[in-house]
Amino acid sequence: MSQSNRLPHGGTIDRSRKLAFEFDGRRFTGHPGDTLASALLANGVHLVGRSFKYHRPRGILGAGVEEPNALVTVHRGPGRDDPNTRATAIALFDGLSASSQNRRPSLRFDVGAVNSWLSPLLPAGFYYKTFLWPRSAWHRFYEPWIRSKAGLGPAPTLPDPDCYAQRFAHCDLLIVGGGPAGLAAADSATAQGQRVILCDERDELGSTLVSSGEALVEGLPAAEWRRRLLEALATRPNLRILPRTTAFGYFAQNFVGLLERLGDQGSQAHSDPIPPTKQRAREKLWQVRASRVILATGAIERPLVFAGNDRPGVMLASAAQSYIRQYAVLPGRRVMVCVADDSGYEAAIACRQAGAEVAVSDVRMQVTEAQAASARAAGIEDLPGCVPTGTGWKHRVHSLRVHQLHGDGSFGRRRIHQCDLVLMAGGWTPTVHLHSQSRGTVAWNDALQAFVPDRSVQDVESAGACRGLAGLGSCVADGRAVVTAGAARSPLPATSRSRLAVLPGFAEHDAETAFVDFQNDVTVRDIRLAIREGFTSAELFKRYTTLGMATDQGRTSNLNGLAVAADALGCTAPQVGLTTFRAPYTPVTFGTLAGQQRGLDFEPVRVTPIHQRAVALGAVFEDVGQWKRARFFPNRGEGMHAAVARECRATRESVGIFDASTLGKIEVVGPDAAEFMDRIYINAWSRLQPGRCRYGVMVRDDGFIYDDGVVGRLAPDRFHVTTTTTGAARVLHHMEDYLQTEFSGLRAWLTSTTEQWAVIAVQGPNARRVLAPLVHGIDLERESFPHMAVRMGWICGVATRLFRVSFTGELGFEINVPAAWGAMIWEAVYAEALRYDGVAYGTETMHVLRAEKGYIIVGQETDGTVTAADVGLDGLIGKDKGDFVGKRSLQRASLQTGSRKTLVGLLSCDGRSLLEEGAQILGAPLSHAVANRSIGHVTSAYESVACGRPIALALLSDGRARVGQTVHVTSRHATIAAKVTGPVFYDPEGARLAS
């Protein structure tokens, strides 16, 4: 396709090469140096998308990150689709493929456009007031339907195959923005020897100098000044320049997040695609800590608010100027420039110099003589005191309706101007987003009719246009002055050269199509409606109307929205206030934030040495922390409940073996090991004899249970500590923290040995018979190897630590062998167990067996507010030992009151109903007309084969005093009556343990 809008000369593009690209399946060509937006305009494409809510046709409005309309999906292959990407920020490369969004079936014919005709029925917040009945239909029907009719681009569904980098950096000075002020600041700071990082979101620094109409900067033509300065900066070893890098977030203590784009978008200097690989990241996250920050982020031109201002072919004046002078693209041949600021005349002259017919409609009653003279000299028709009131269009704007504005605000004669491009110059809004994120305040400036940066709690200053200055000379001078402490800064303008561009004379029907927020389809009518309904706070009407939300962050809409609200409230814009700017300033990919921490690098899968043996037995696994643990071992055609019942029965009647390798294991060694254990646990350990074990409970300094596990004393100076599977790392950190800070005088050392030992639990009446032929050097008989003892010996020729402990209530042993021998020992033990009709059992069976005995699991029977006394373990507290972590907290009266929730058992009165874990416990049925409040909750509930009925454990207020009483447990439709019992359901005397 011919490039009908490409100028024959000018710009910074490389005309010697052509780049092929696709948009919505149509093939076009552009040049290195183009963005997707400039290349589309060069090919005469103005219609690029449909609006969020009404599906109105939308065109390119801006030339940078302020663009609210031209959001496209870039296709890079499976898993590499990027939705909601600004066409103005996509550097063109050969083979680029992009598509428009939020349209069905095509961009030109979108059935969703019926929403625009129905707009009187779809005002702001209509869904809050319309879809109220039936209440259940909101999630099932209304919400999915609304979401299918509105939105931006589709979210990717495939995993992202690219890689992303992250790094930290430190500098004396971080400069955000590579425009005239930022370049001048970098030049002065590096000349003083400061270590400087300069970042800019564009491919080329100082690109605004190319599109500027001003001739001289510090005595040189603007383009020449830029070229010389960039050459000088490239030689400075203390300067790091980061083009294509956006500062998206400003955090505490001058910590700034930067997003650098490295991947396959190419660059304006090198427009070949650079595919990301495992060796080359697509994007990089810079986490920069700076002693000082200078924000030179510029300003964004404001659009005018009038009926039909959202049509394709309506554009910001500064954007058109950039397309002409930087990209050599003339977006239209017959141009109407609607001016509320002097800068609009610069764009008008640029269009005229490029060969367009140009007329200026200035909403101000009086125009400065200099501007009028420049317009006349360029052959531009100037219409002062004329306001735009509507557009004519068919796929693109073809006319503009303007009215003469009288001094009293009334409208006079109407004129229709034929045009194919309408430019809006509504003044400039300083970009204060990052300053606001730094916890900085803003102040209203009457001359600028905008908010400007004021103070910040951090060492940050703003320079140039983002401080409210206009003109290249002033911005450059301000950039140099801000570097030197105490230097005189350029004063802000004292007189206005613009007016806030919310124009008078809107009738209600005009307000329906006068758009304030282009991205979110917020109109003047929507804001007025929000004010009428009482949402008078800026933060409230922002949320009610969605003004300034989503990826736009109010760049082109905030001030105009405040002006409309102020008009409706009868006050001024600063009295309405400004909403909070939150990170990110521009969208950041999840991949960049995650970096390398994804997949197995984010959540590594940990498997035990016996994992493959469990796989061979057909185990069904569950995730416990990072571990894969066998949940149950089904036979062919067997479901979980049947498999668990079979495993429970076999373990109770004969023998079961269980892979317990995931238990946390910590070696505590040293002359003061026993003293350290006394201080870190509630138990007493000094008098525990070597070769014996003890169940230990660890509490935090607030007295609440932190972890538990069996501890074996191997020698006077050595303990083998076990922890819960998910608590291994935090328990080690907890112990290490106290050892290094509070108990630093103790001679004890901690070593994690979780991965060193494979652990096989052998449980059941035949456990001793299974081990007898395999174990050597250990007498397994009850008298010499009692319950809660540990012995060293051999199993199948491998050294072992053999514990006689049980988490099932049966005769039990736990075999600890080096991990490398775990699979072999499992095979031998399993083969021996099969001789007694034994089984391998999983975590689900383990849960049932321990619940039958009333054994707790930390994190299930505890919730961070449970003490040892609450679960019946207060007898473990060493009464005659010294201080320990949490001792004083346990003595608080609030932890000793009888009304605390304590561990009890629950049996449903009908003998059949299985209670739900997490269900609330009430004193009376829901149907009773009494004050009914929760008195506890169910912590565990299982079908018990041994008990022949469902059982449950619960935390119940004053639970021990309620034993024998009936309570009512909530279910989905009613309550279930249950009897309160003790927490031990099976073998309460413990005879089977001692066998």
Side-chain angles (χ1 to χ4, degrees), residues 486-544:
R489 303 287 299 279
S490 300
L492 296 183
T495 57
S496 175
R497 63 176 221 161
S498 66
R499 59 167 292 170
L500 198 55
V502 177
L503 306 177
F506 287 117
E508 284 300 320
H509 68 277
D510 293 322
E512 291 180 7
T513 59
F515 283 85
V516 179
D517 186 323
F518 298 99
Q519 186 171 106
N520 297 295
D521 270 353
V522 180
T523 65
V524 170
R525 182 190 66 166
D526 293 327
I527 299 174
R528 288 178 177 172
L529 175 65
I531 298 298
R532 286 200 304 271
E533 296 192 356
F535 298 96
T536 56
S537 163
E539 294 288 0
L540 291 179
F541 70 69
K542 166 185 176 178
R543 283 156 180 79
Y544 189 73

Side-chain angles (χ1 to χ4, degrees), residues 862-874:
T862 68
D863 61 1
T865 65
V866 173
T867 68
D870 295 339
V871 291
L873 299 176
D874 47 324

Side-chain angles (χ1 to χ4, degrees), residues 493-715:
T495 57
S496 175
R497 63 176 221 161
S498 66
R499 59 167 292 170
L500 198 55
V502 177
L503 306 177
F506 287 117
E508 284 300 320
H509 68 277
D510 293 322
E512 291 180 7
T513 59
F515 283 85
V516 179
D517 186 323
F518 298 99
Q519 186 171 106
N520 297 295
D521 270 353
V522 180
T523 65
V524 170
R525 182 190 66 166
D526 293 327
I527 299 174
R528 288 178 177 172
L529 175 65
I531 298 298
R532 286 200 304 271
E533 296 192 356
F535 298 96
T536 56
S537 163
E539 294 288 0
L540 291 179
F541 70 69
K542 166 185 176 178
R543 283 156 180 79
Y544 189 73
T545 64
T546 68
L547 174 73
M549 297 178 71
T551 65
D552 181 63
Q553 288 289 294
R555 291 179 182 83
T556 58
S557 62
N558 260 4
L559 275 181
N560 286 339
L562 295 180
V564 174
D567 180 66
L569 289 167
C571 64
T572 63
Q575 288 175 316
V576 176
L578 191 63
T579 58
T580 302
F581 294 108
R582 295 179 175 88
Y585 169 65
T586 55
V588 180
T589 58
F590 287 116
T592 302
L593 297 177
Q596 301 294 330
Q597 308 302 312
R598 59 179 185 161
L600 293 179
D601 291 329
F602 173 69
E603 190 75 26
V605 174
R606 302 174 73 182
V607 297
T608 72
I610 303 165
H611 180 79
Q612 292 304 321
R613 299 302 187 273
V615 172
L617 291 173
V620 174
F621 292 90
E622 67 173 339
D623 294 326
V624 181
Q626 295 175 340
W627 291 99
K628 290 287 185 184
R629 300 194 73 179
R631 190 177 186 188
F632 60 97
F633 294 83
N635 289 336
R636 184 184 297 274
E638 194 174 42
M640 185 183 77
H641 295 296
V644 170
R646 174 178 52 79
E647 293 170 10
C648 288
R649 187 178 299 108
T651 304
R652 290 285 186 216
E653 296 175 357
S654 181
V655 67
I657 66 172
F658 174 71
D659 181 6
S661 304
T662 62
L663 285 175
K665 294 172 277 290
I666 301 169
E667 204 93 346
V668 181
V669 181
D672 298 323
E675 174 65 20
F676 173 73
M677 293 293 290
D678 278 341
R679 298 186 189 183
I680 206 74
Y681 280 88
I682 67 173
N683 312 63
W685 301 94
S686 297
R687 289 197 293 272
L688 182 68
Q689 296 300 309
R692 300 293 296 184
C693 302
R694 181 166 290 163
Y695 172 69
V697 174
M698 181 184 297
V699 301
R700 302 187 306 244
D701 55 7
D702 56 11
F704 298 129
I705 292 177
Y706 189 62
D707 204 79
D708 69 343
V710 172
V711 178
R713 191 168 191 176
L714 308 179

